[in-house]
Amino acid sequence: MRRLWIGCTVVVFTLLLIIPVVRIAMGAWNEGWSGFSGGITRPETGHALFMTGLIVVIVTLINTVFGVMLSLYLVRATWLGRKLKQLLNSIVDLPFAVSPVIGGLMIVLLLGPDTAIGALLGRAGVDIVYALPGMVIATLFVTFPLIVREVMPVLQEIGNSQEEAAATLGASAWTTFWRVTWPSIRWSVVYGVVLTVARAMGEFGAVLVVSGNIINKTQTATTLVYQDVENFNLTAANAVALVLAAGSVALLLFMEWAKSRKEVH
């Protein structure tokens, strides 16, 4: 029976992960080097990869700063009541419960050009929806819980006795964070950052809704793959998808290394 379950696990793993990746690689090289390089060196591919990288950098920086801050508030802040903490915890988990497409739609309904806020910002020369800011907000929405959910358990586990001792000895809040708190949570932050980068790279639904998928303007790598598939340009679609898959595999390997370091510390 044990061998049967192991065999079933291997079969499911192969069908869901290995075969799709191999098929993407075969499709990317279906027309040889010329087909692969043609799909990667197109102007729209370069712009889409640039937009994806830009969004990943912005989202990761914002998530790291505010994710760590919110984790500290939810675990350490005594001025937050229990009910308020429960409410904030529920809000943090909202992206896990709501489809990314619905999240993108909410952004359009709140900040779209036909809304009061969107029209006001538009008159000031600031476009949110169908522009980079809306894409960043959509990606932030789907990735925000990742760092919070990595850091909070570590803060709860280590307690606050060392931080209280540092404060008693006269250390400022900033010094206490960098000298006491940060060494304990740094690997969980790294783990959360890797998850955030991977999720931001692969985000599709929310970004598609708020971006409009405009070529050489608001197109990311994932929406470009979608457009290529719709246009039956499968070799180019597989080439871009293979680049994203290679990046994801590299991130997963780094994540496993970070996880092992976190467990050691």
Side-chain angles (χ1 to χ4, degrees):
M1 181 61 70
R2 180 181 179 183
R3 291 182 178 179
L4 176 62
W5 282 112
I6 293 175
C8 290
T9 302
V10 172
V11 169
V12 172
F13 178 80
T14 302
L15 289 175
L16 294 180
L17 297 177
I18 303 300
I19 292 179
V21 173
V22 172
R23 183 65 186 86
I24 289 174
M26 292 174 60
W29 293 94
N30 188 42
E31 299 177 7
W33 169 252
S34 60
F36 176 80
S37 62
I40 295 300
T41 57
R42 296 174 298 167
E44 53 267 36
T45 300
H47 184 271
L49 291 174
F50 170 76
M51 289 294 291
T52 298
L54 181 60
I55 292 171
V56 166
V57 170
I58 295 173
V59 166
T60 302
L61 289 175
I62 295 174
N63 268 349
T64 301
V65 173
F66 290 97
V68 172
M69 287 175 58
L70 182 59
S71 300
L72 289 169
Y73 290 149
L74 291 177
V75 176
R76 297 284 191 260
T78 56
W79 48 270
L80 288 176
R82 183 175 60 86
K83 291 185 177 180
L84 181 57
K85 286 186 177 182
Q86 291 175 345
L87 176 62
L88 291 175
N89 260 312
S90 301
I91 294 175
V92 168
D93 287 333
L94 184 63
F96 290 147
V98 176
S99 167
V101 175
I102 296 176
L105 179 60
M106 289 190 297
I107 295 171
V108 173
L109 294 177
L110 289 173
L111 302 173
D114 296 330
T115 65
I117 299 177
L120 181 64
L121 292 172
R123 285 195 293 270
V126 179
D127 295 325
I128 303 297
V129 176
Y130 311 129
L132 178 62
M135 300 164 70
V136 170
I137 294 173
T139 310
L140 280 171
F141 173 79
V142 300
T143 59
F144 189 74
L146 298 175
I147 290 180
V148 176
R149 290 306 174 220
E150 287 298 321
V151 175
M152 279 187 63
V154 178
L155 288 172
Q156 292 168 340
E157 181 180 354
I158 64 176
N160 61 353
S161 58
Q162 294 183 8
E163 297 168 358
E164 290 178 347
T168 301
L169 293 174
S172 65
W174 190 249
T175 301
T176 300
F177 173 78
W178 284 113
R179 296 291 182 88
V180 179
T181 308
W182 175 252
S184 301
I185 66 172
R186 63 180 184 272
W187 287 111
S188 59
V189 173
V190 170
Y191 196 31
V193 165
V194 173
L195 289 174
T196 300
V197 172
R199 184 69 180 87
M201 282 178 54
E203 175 50 33
F204 172 73
V207 170
L208 180 65
V209 173
V210 302
S211 70
N213 200 23
I214 305 171
I215 299 176
N216 291 328
K217 184 179 179 182
T218 62
Q219 198 168 56
T220 62
T222 53
T223 59
L224 175 61
V225 171
Y226 168 76
Q227 177 182 284
D228 283 337
V229 172
E230 290 289 300
N231 294 333
F232 299 100
N233 191 6
L234 298 182
T235 300
N238 282 309
V240 178
L242 183 61
V243 171
L244 291 175
S248 298
V249 170
L251 284 171
L252 289 174
L253 293 175
F254 181 78
M255 184 172 65
E256 288 302 314
W257 174 79
K259 182 179 180 180
S260 65
R261 294 288 298 179
K262 184 177 72 171
E263 290 173 350
V264 169
H265 287 73

